[in-house]
Amino acid sequence: MKADVTRLLPRPLLVIVTVLLCALVLTPVLYIVLASLNSDVGVASGEFWPGTLTLDSYTRIWTTAELSTGIVNSLIVCGVTAMASALLGTSSAYVLVRFSFLGRVSILRGLVGLQSIPGTLMLLPVFVLFSSAGTYLGLTVIGTRWGLFLAYLTFALPFSTWVMVTYLRSLPRELEEAARTEGASTTVILWRIVIPLSLPAIVVAGIFAFLLGWNDVLFASVLTRPETRTAAVALQVFGTAQEGGALPVYSQMMAAALICAAPVVLLYLLFQRYLVGGLTAGGVK
């Protein structure tokens, strides 16, 4: 006997609402794609459909906006941040979930509390701290990739740890107990059992850490110099530099925006299966 499914809306109305929502989301994306294939004059004149499709904007943007350096810096910093936060978050979450010690509950509550602190409030303290490291320790932090990595890791690690805590609570302890009776150490259990079983959640934590750095403009604009600026900062600088010009290069701006969005879209397509599994598995006991 099939179970009755309760729908919030009748099927015809549900189809109409779905089509309208998809059109609302995809219409701006379609306009960006068409504008990037149009000329700057055509976009400035208000053309929606380009009279002539051209890829000139995609070839010229690499010299006008200096996207190549920004994308390389973003991939390095965000990739290292994603891997470090996922691995450290998994190790920290395993300790918080499987062991009892003084202050464990306070740490778990602190992880939740850290998510409510706006990043804008931390910009000045982080800048002063990094500047002090250069003054008192002789370390150059501001303007380097690893300084930006430390800033991103500070915000990504609490979230990654909490994601892994939620997921590890749903893993059965029997597998670890069976491995421990066979003489496996805690490190072996973590790397041979926990991490392979937690791969969907690790991917989720890594992707969110990657996006945190990829979309950031505030910290990257303050903690970098022209040689180490990220793709988001390069795109912002390019857009700001073109304001008030004789001919706004809207087509090149659209092309640059699509190029900067391509790695994120590719990341979602590659890890879509793990992403969906990691987001849903931790909520089902």
Side-chain angles (χ1 to χ4, degrees):
M1 181 177 180
K2 294 184 179 180
D4 293 332
V5 179
T6 303
R7 297 182 181 273
L8 296 177
L9 297 173
R11 181 179 293 274
L13 186 59
L14 183 62
V15 173
I16 295 174
V17 172
T18 303
V19 172
L20 290 177
L21 291 177
C22 291
L24 184 65
V25 173
L26 295 179
T27 300
V29 178
L30 178 62
Y31 174 76
I32 294 175
V33 174
L34 294 177
S36 66
L37 298 175
N38 200 351
S39 62
D40 294 326
V41 177
V43 178
S45 63
E47 292 182 359
F48 181 82
W49 189 268
T52 303
L53 298 178
T54 177
L55 297 176
D56 290 342
S57 297
Y58 289 93
T59 57
R60 295 165 58 187
I61 196 64
W62 299 103
T63 56
T64 56
E66 300 180 357
L67 278 184
S68 56
T69 303
I71 289 178
V72 170
N73 291 330
S74 292
L75 290 176
I76 293 175
V77 175
C78 299
V80 175
T81 301
M83 291 185 291
S85 62
L87 293 178
L88 292 176
T90 303
S91 304
S92 303
Y94 181 74
V95 174
L96 292 172
V97 172
R98 293 295 189 251
F99 298 94
S100 299
F101 52 89
L102 184 63
R104 171 178 170 271
V105 178
S106 299
I107 294 176
L108 290 173
R109 291 173 179 174
L111 292 176
V112 179
L114 287 174
Q115 305 303 316
S116 61
I117 300 178
T120 53
L121 296 180
M122 299 299 296
L123 180 61
L124 183 58
V126 170
F127 181 81
V128 173
L129 180 63
F130 286 0
S131 299
S132 301
T135 303
Y136 297 105
L137 301 178
L139 297 176
T140 303
V141 181
I142 297 178
T144 61
R145 293 194 189 105
W146 70 273
L148 192 60
F149 158 74
L150 290 178
Y152 289 159
L153 187 63
T154 303
F155 297 99
L157 188 56
F159 179 81
S160 300
T161 304
W162 185 252
V163 169
M164 296 309 303
V165 165
T166 305
Y167 189 87
L168 291 180
R169 283 174 175 172
S170 64
L171 292 182
R173 294 175 178 263
E174 290 76 10
L175 295 175
E176 302 172 31
E177 295 173 355
R180 202 175 298 276
T181 57
E182 296 293 333
S185 63
T186 302
T187 305
V188 174
I189 293 175
L190 178 62
W191 285 96
R192 297 290 182 88
I193 297 178
V194 175
I195 289 182
L197 292 177
S198 305
L199 189 58
I202 293 175
V203 171
V204 171
I207 288 179
F208 275 93
F210 185 91
L211 292 179
L212 184 146
W214 189 270
N215 296 327
D216 172 70
V217 178
L218 184 63
F219 282 86
S221 60
V222 175
L223 301 179
T224 59
R225 56 177 183 264
E227 296 80 12
T228 58
R229 65 176 45 153
T230 60
V233 177
L235 187 60
Q236 182 198 37
V237 171
F238 174 69
T240 304
Q242 302 303 321
E243 292 181 358
L247 178 62
V249 287
Y250 291 137
S251 178
Q252 296 183 46
M253 291 181 185
M254 301 300 179
L258 289 177
I259 292 173
C260 291
V264 178
V265 175
L266 182 62
L267 190 68
Y268 271 104
L269 293 177
L270 291 177
F271 297 102
Q272 181 181 8
R273 179 168 60 91
Y274 294 103
L275 185 63
V276 174
L279 289 174
T280 57
V284 181
K285 189 72 175 176

